[in-house]
Amino acid sequence: MIFHSTSSKPILIAGNGVRSAGAQGLLIEFARKTDIPVLTSMNAVDLIQDDLKLGFIGTHGNRVANMIVAECDFVISVGARLGLRQVGRNSETFAPNASIVRADIDEFELARSVRDDEEKHLVDAKDFLGQLLAEDIPKYTEWKNKCFAAKDILASYDNEVGNRVIRKISDLLPDNPIVAVDVGQHECWSAQSLHLKGDEGRILIAGGYGSMGCGLPFAIGASIARGGETTFCIVGDGGLQMNIQEFEAIVREKLPVKILVVNNRVLGKISETQHSNHDDRFAQTTAESGYSVPNFEKVASAYGIKAATLSSYEQLDDYVEWLRDAEPCLIDIMLPSDTSLVPKVDWAAGVMKPRIGDDVIEEVRKTLA
Ligand SMILES: Cc1ncc(C[n+]2csc(CCOP(=O)(O)OP(=O)(O)O)c2C)c(N)n1
């Protein structure tokens, strides 16, 4: 028996190992059969979407997901490393009230312990989820509903403009889309706020590797692999400039790649750090400090890709047809330059910043009690 039947607030944390093992179907079956809330790692955000989505955990994870981890009493981790960005330096503060079971195919990941008394299973995620599904686990509908109620309470927090852009894009995407994202603030906004309709969509993300420039090639490769299907690419102005020459491949191969530039005209992930940790000593990240952005509409048009520049993401409604037709396009969405990425876990202090009101934290805790 893997499942601890004495648990009243269990969660399952799924990592990308679940997809590598070809076990996404089993994961969704488990979530629907048991109503146990499923959270993910950043690399695995697309595994759990639509009506099951609560979010991903870790440094830039969804606030509600991290709060659920803090309140739960049993963690089953499958195919997730539970690395530094997920559990913090002092892993005692991770899921402090929970017993932990970890399933991983990589013995070296399991060699590192999150907690002294955790249970470890060196096993393929598909076999492990198969075993769990065969166990007689009660339904945790009430607990799941509490988690979604907590999500509702927190819905008005952490709504940065970047999150609102991504939510708008989500609204306009077809069911089960293939979305490639690049690296930076927009990557984290996408992991937090892209909400895909259907269980089969993909979010292709570099995660911890952080290889700027990957988004466009991901979208091109995915389109080719699917026989010329439409793919979407959410990319920052910095990442797009790393592989902008691939516009040529899109045109030559006639691929319906829809490029959505989240354009703050700064290398936002780094300029934000220079702002908050280095007293605004910007270097090669802003217009004033040695970074610039071309007119992407003109560049795309020069390659023969239809393109538009939007002064606000709200204008996206006027381009729904562009997202649906069989041609490539580029939509350059302007944001302010002082964008920020929240929340962020301050691992040393064991809190999420920015802090929200103690009354709200208390309300969430009571809801999850
Ligand atoms: C090849 C490469 N160079 C540098 C970095 C460091 N880095 C991470 S995010 C980032 C800025 C990304 O800027 P942009 O594409 O405009 O996206 P934003 O953060 O503004 O959303 C940089 C320079 C990296 N991850 N990869």
Side-chain angles (χ1 to χ4, degrees):
M1 193 75 180
I2 300 164
F3 193 78
H4 296 183
S5 49
T6 49
S7 156
S8 56
K9 297 194 277 186
I11 61 167
L12 190 145
I13 296 175
N16 202 44
V18 172
R19 185 174 301 283
S20 306
Q24 189 201 11
L26 291 183
L27 178 72
I28 290 171
E29 194 183 332
F30 176 83
R32 297 208 187 282
K33 182 183 161 198
T34 63
D35 274 346
I36 290 175
V38 180
L39 307 174
T40 71
S41 66
M42 185 172 172
N43 286 1
V45 275
D46 58 357
L47 281 174
I48 289 290
Q49 285 285 332
D50 216 336
D51 58 319
L52 296 173
K53 183 185 168 83
L54 282 163
F56 77 104
I57 64 162
T59 308
H60 287 300
N62 298 88
R63 195 179 288 265
V64 68
N66 283 325
M67 289 186 82
I68 291 169
V69 172
E71 298 297 325
C72 74
D73 66 3
F74 181 32
V75 173
I76 309 169
S77 166
V78 190
R81 293 178 57 240
L82 295 189
L84 195 65
R85 285 192 187 185
Q86 291 162 346
V87 303
R89 281 201 178 78
N90 175 10
S91 58
E92 289 300 318
T93 59
F94 174 78
N97 311 314
S99 50
I100 299 178
V101 170
R102 290 171 63 198
D104 204 305
I105 194 73
D106 185 339
E107 61 183 299
F108 295 103
E109 291 297 347
L110 283 184
R112 174 181 47 83
S113 292
V114 177
R115 192 78 53 70
D116 288 344
D117 60 355
E118 70 193 12
E119 275 171 50
K120 301 179 189 195
H121 296 258
L122 182 63
V123 62
D124 181 270
K126 199 172 190 173
D127 295 341
F128 183 80
L129 283 168
Q131 281 177 47
L132 265 183
L133 271 167
E135 291 186 1
D136 191 14
I137 299 175
K139 249 186 138 146
Y140 284 88
T141 313
E142 199 186 332
W143 163 234
K144 183 190 96 169
N145 291 342
K146 286 179 176 181
C147 292
F148 278 93
K151 183 180 175 185
D152 287 345
I153 294 169
L154 292 169
S156 57
Y157 295 89
D158 310 316
N159 271 324
E160 292 295 312
V161 63
N163 297 89
R164 298 200 296 276
V165 172
I166 300 298
R167 229 166 278 140
K168 182 78 196 172
I169 292 172
S170 300
D171 290 345
L172 302 179
L173 289 175
D175 291 4
N176 298 311
I178 300 173
V179 188
V181 300
D182 208 87
V183 173
Q185 289 182 324
H186 64 281
E187 173 190 21
C188 300
W189 295 324
S190 298
Q192 294 170 341
S193 299
L194 249 188
H195 195 130
L196 307 186
K197 293 172 270 250
D199 289 335
E200 307 278 315
R202 294 298 311 268
I203 300 174
L204 307 173
I205 198 163
Y209 285 120
S211 38
M212 268 174 84
C214 64
L216 198 57
F218 279 177
I220 292 170
S223 178
I224 292 170
R226 294 278 187 115
E229 249 181 55
T230 293
T231 57
F232 300 85
C233 175
I234 297 177
V235 61
D237 45 84
L240 183 57
Q241 294 191 72
M242 300 220 124
N243 271 321
I244 199 161
Q245 78 284 355
E246 298 305 336
F247 286 174
E248 188 270 342
I250 291 172
V251 173
R252 175 169 37 83
E253 298 296 330
K254 300 187 180 55
L255 301 171
V257 175
K258 315 290 186 177
I259 305 158
L260 297 150
V261 190
V262 182
N263 190 346
N264 50 12
R265 297 163 306 287
V266 290
L267 296 177
K269 186 82 178 69
I270 306 301
S271 61
E272 184 181 18
T273 307
Q274 292 169 345
H275 165 67
S276 40
N277 298 4
H278 303 285
D279 300 324
D280 282 347
R281 277 180 280 122
F282 298 108
Q284 280 73 49
T285 55
T286 62
E288 299 73 28
S289 72
Y291 170 72
S292 68
V293 175
N295 180 325
F296 291 121
E297 181 181 341
K298 282 191 181 165
V299 178
S301 303
Y303 277 90
I305 296 175
K306 69 182 173 196
T309 308
L310 312 190
S311 56
S312 160
Y313 66 91
E314 275 153 15
Q315 295 167 1
L316 267 172
D317 285 320
D318 300 336
Y319 291 85
V320 173
E321 268 315 304
W322 282 26
L323 300 180
R324 302 265 155 85
D325 67 23
E327 294 168 23
C329 69
L330 179 142
I331 304 178
D332 190 9
I333 308 162
M334 294 297 159
L335 274 72
S337 291
D338 57 353
T339 48
S340 64
L341 169 61
V342 299
K344 183 173 183 186
V345 178
D346 177 341
W347 293 111
V351 293
M352 265 175 287
K353 291 185 172 169
R355 292 246 353 170
I356 57 173
D358 287 344
D359 51 333
V360 184
I361 295 177
E362 207 36 53
E363 191 187 347
V364 172
R365 284 210 182 113
K366 269 196 195 135
T367 304
L368 294 173

